[in-house]
Amino acid sequence: MNERMGLMASHFALFVDLENCGGKKSMLMDVIERVKIRGDILIGKVYGYTDSYSDLKEILLSNTFAVVPSLRFGRNQKNSLDIQLVIDALEIAYTNELIDSFCIVSGDSDYTPLVGKLKTMGKFVLGISRSEVASNIFINACNEFMFLENVSKQKKKKETKQNAEEPL
């Protein structure tokens, strides 16, 4: 339990960079569960959605996520999604007083200035990324950081333990 929770649950805005985190159904479910342990997800957005992620539709709809599609045009398309995520996060930080915590699912060091700005505004920032793409700069900038592989392993260990405890 982090120190921000105290008696009141945190209110999260969750931003997922699909291209950076792999975009698997199990990954997204694990991330949502992990964030919900810490508080309520009031706003969720995924960036870089294409038809190749169609297996995520049910999860996205049932968790009321907004989708920012990946429209390929030119060489710098990836950066335009990163910029859109930053704009959306800052807009929410400045206009939505309910949001006190942000979760950024990406290991991209480009988000480090965003993390710094959110922290100066008194926001808690949780970073989550695959270990092979996580930047040390981004990891160290966040208030808390988790590797996707560990999020999934913790869930599997808990399920295994629960199954072992169930009577036959």
Side-chain angles (χ1 to χ4, degrees):
M1 187 160 163
N2 70 45
E3 56 278 339
R4 290 187 54 81
M5 286 181 67
L7 296 175
M8 294 178 50
S10 296
H11 295 112
F12 275 89
L14 171 58
F15 299 100
V16 180
D17 179 345
L18 286 174
E19 292 178 356
N20 196 279
C21 68
K24 292 188 171 84
K25 186 176 180 178
S26 60
M27 172 279 307
L28 187 57
M29 288 299 299
D30 292 345
V31 166
I32 290 169
E33 273 186 42
R34 183 60 58 192
V35 175
K36 283 184 175 180
I37 288 170
R38 290 168 166 66
D40 295 325
I41 301 171
L42 300 185
I43 297 170
K45 279 192 164 192
V46 295
Y47 296 81
Y49 186 86
T50 65
D51 289 339
S52 65
Y53 298 119
S54 62
D55 61 326
L56 301 178
K57 281 183 184 177
E58 184 180 345
I59 297 167
L60 296 172
L61 290 170
S62 63
N63 287 283
T64 65
F65 272 69
V67 174
V68 179
S70 178
L71 300 173
R72 300 259 174 224
F73 185 79
R75 292 185 303 158
N76 296 327
Q77 197 281 322
K78 170 79 173 100
N79 287 341
S80 68
L81 288 173
D82 292 351
I83 292 167
Q84 187 62 54
L85 187 152
V86 170
I87 290 168
D88 291 347
L90 288 174
E91 179 181 12
I92 288 167
Y94 280 109
T95 63
N96 191 327
E97 295 177 12
L98 292 175
I99 302 295
D100 60 3
S101 302
F102 286 78
C103 178
I104 301 171
V105 183
S106 175
D108 196 332
S109 63
D110 291 347
Y111 296 124
T112 304
L114 169 64
V115 172
K117 183 63 175 178
L118 293 172
K119 287 170 63 176
T120 64
M121 296 175 73
K123 309 296 184 184
F124 174 84
V125 181
L126 169 64
I128 301 177
S129 177
R130 292 182 296 157
S131 58
E132 67 265 17
V133 296
S135 157
N136 283 335
I137 295 168
F138 179 73
I139 290 170
N140 293 330
C142 295
N143 293 101
E144 184 179 344
F145 186 88
M146 290 187 264
F147 290 111
L148 273 173
E149 298 88 346
N150 294 343
V151 170
S152 297
K153 283 179 192 173
Q154 289 172 352
K155 181 183 174 193
K156 287 176 186 163
K157 282 182 186 175
K158 185 177 179 182
E159 287 172 355
T160 304
K161 186 177 178 183
Q162 286 175 342
N163 289 341
E165 293 173 355
E166 289 178 6
L168 297 174

